[in-house]
Amino acid sequence: MVIKITDEELLETTGGIVQGMSGSPIIQDGLIVGAVTHVFINDPAQGYGVYIEWMLDAAA
């Protein structure tokens, strides 16, 4: 999935996704929906994520 950072504090502090954030949870409406995988080099406020369902299936 393509993700966009909307947390104003994170954007102000880091500009978006930074190196080392891979695996960080993606929270939507208070639920974990996935994890960060990669950042768009030309736009650190966007990147790719993997769905939580895929992670749970792989762990089973």
Side-chain angles (χ1 to χ4, degrees):
M1 74 176 109
V2 175
I3 58 173
K4 181 176 180 178
I5 305 302
T6 59
D7 183 292
E8 293 297 327
E9 184 177 351
L10 178 63
L11 289 169
E12 185 176 316
T13 304
T14 67
I17 302 168
V18 296
Q19 184 176 354
M21 287 183 71
S22 294
S24 295
I26 300 169
I27 309 293
Q28 185 175 26
D29 297 326
L31 301 172
I32 297 176
V33 296
V36 174
T37 59
H38 296 85
V39 64
F40 293 163
I41 299 299
N42 59 343
D43 183 1
Q46 294 189 69
Y48 292 110
V50 63
Y51 292 104
I52 190 72
E53 291 87 2
W54 295 356
M55 293 186 288
L56 293 172
D57 287 344

